[in-house]
Amino acid sequence: DSGVTQTPKHLITATGQRVTLRCSPRSGDLSVYWYQQSLDQGLQFLIQYYNGEERAKGNILERFSAQQFPDLHSELNLSSLELGDSALYFCASSGDFDTGELFFGEGSRLTVL
Amino acid sequence: AQTVTQSQPEMSVQEAETVTLSCTYDTSENNYYLFWYKQPPSRQMILVIRQEAYKQQNATENRFSVNFQKAAKSFSLKISDSQLGDTAMYFCAFTPSNSGYALNFGKGTSLLVTP
């Protein structure tokens, strides 16, 4: 158990809809990272938050947004969903930056029909 | 941009044998961390081993060891005495040291351990 909690574990929705994925980092970790894993693209970094502030952006679509709340949990919002958004979405957290290690949640499997 | 390349999409090894997974990376950074993560069918991403670029000694964790060649920008993972439970996707990853930035992953190698 990594200590990172993601909900929901599975989600099925229709094209055009909006969903919210939730992540609780390990206790005390200030950084949260979101990744998308699809079959043909591997693990793609989407966005990072540090102590409530956006710190780095990767290949995140404009239809996607995220935030980190004062209690350090984070939400990833996906809107106007398309079939191609079907993927496994991972949240990871880290404490200090000395080791570089990320601790991953179990992922949220999104299926868009 | 930093890229990580895993040139072996799939590999297979028999139980108790040794297998080596390849990884190369491209960076202009001098100090960085390299990782191998394992993703079994349960899909949880699990850290296997970590290497700091400034350390010349190759990292080892029980049956897992790396061959880190900084000049060649190569970071291979050797699994000795392979076990059925080693069946998983293996991802090589990179991040600059002390940056706190996201890991940059390769596309992964699917390893199948057969009886």
Side-chain angles (χ1 to χ4, degrees):
Chain A
D1 183 6
S2 67
V4 178
T5 304
Q6 288 188 247
T7 57
K9 285 188 169 41
H10 301 276
L11 190 55
I12 301 174
T13 189
T15 54
Q17 295 299 305
R18 172 189 169 95
V19 299
T20 296
L21 309 181
R22 194 179 193 277
C23 170
S24 293
R26 289 188 322 158
S27 178
D29 283 358
L30 299 179
S31 266
V32 169
Y33 309 76
W34 286 98
Y35 283 84
Q36 179 191 58
Q37 184 181 26
S38 51
L39 281 175
D40 57 344
Q41 294 292 329
L43 273 157
Q44 296 286 313
F45 167 62
L46 296 178
I47 197 164
Q48 178 196 3
Y49 278 81
Y50 179 81
N51 202 21
E53 300 288 327
E54 181 185 304
R55 188 167 188 264
K57 246 181 183 176
N59 301 318
I60 189 165
L61 299 173
E62 285 190 8
R63 300 183 286 108
F64 297 179
S65 65
Q67 55 184 326
Q68 186 180 28
F69 295 86
D71 66 352
L72 300 178
H73 92 271
S74 177
E75 293 181 356
L76 179 66
N77 301 295
L78 315 175
S79 62
S80 302
L81 285 167
E82 302 175 359
L83 297 178
D85 297 327
S86 294
L88 189 54
Y89 291 85
F90 280 108
C91 169
S93 74
S94 71
D96 57 45
F97 296 155
D98 285 356
T99 68
E101 181 180 355
L102 299 189
F103 297 87
F104 284 81
E106 293 184 355
S108 294
R109 167 74 69 189
L110 173 66
T111 302
V112 182
L113 301 176
Chain B
Q2 293 133 353
T3 57
V4 178
T5 302
Q6 294 179 247
S7 58
Q8 306 149 313
E10 295 179 351
M11 294 192 75
S12 179
V13 64
Q14 282 196 313
E15 210 174 357
E17 296 295 308
T18 295
V19 63
T20 299
L21 310 183
S22 300
C23 173
T24 59
Y25 57 94
D26 187 22
T27 183
S28 58
E29 301 279 346
N30 191 45
N31 295 315
Y32 47 88
Y33 304 130
L34 293 161
F35 305 84
W36 280 97
Y37 275 83
K38 168 184 176 180
Q39 186 181 35
S42 67
R43 81 190 192 196
Q44 176 81 52
M45 293 286 288
I46 303 164
L47 178 66
V48 175
I49 201 164
R50 173 179 169 274
Q51 174 80 41
E52 298 177 24
Y54 74 88
K55 288 186 177 179
Q56 293 185 339
Q57 187 174 5
N58 289 323
T60 62
E61 286 289 341
N62 301 312
R63 297 183 294 107
F64 299 87
S65 61
V66 298
N67 183 3
F68 173 50
Q69 302 288 330
K70 190 172 184 179
K73 295 182 181 175
S74 170
F75 183 62
S76 60
L77 174 70
K78 185 170 84 170
I79 306 174
S80 304
D81 186 25
S82 297
Q83 300 176 359
L84 296 178
D86 295 334
T87 291
M89 280 290 288
Y90 287 82
F91 293 95
C92 179
F94 166 100
T95 191
S97 296
N98 299 310
S99 68
Y101 288 119
L103 298 185
N104 190 4
F105 285 90
K107 289 192 181 296
T109 296
S110 178
L111 177 66
L112 175 65
V113 181
T114 58

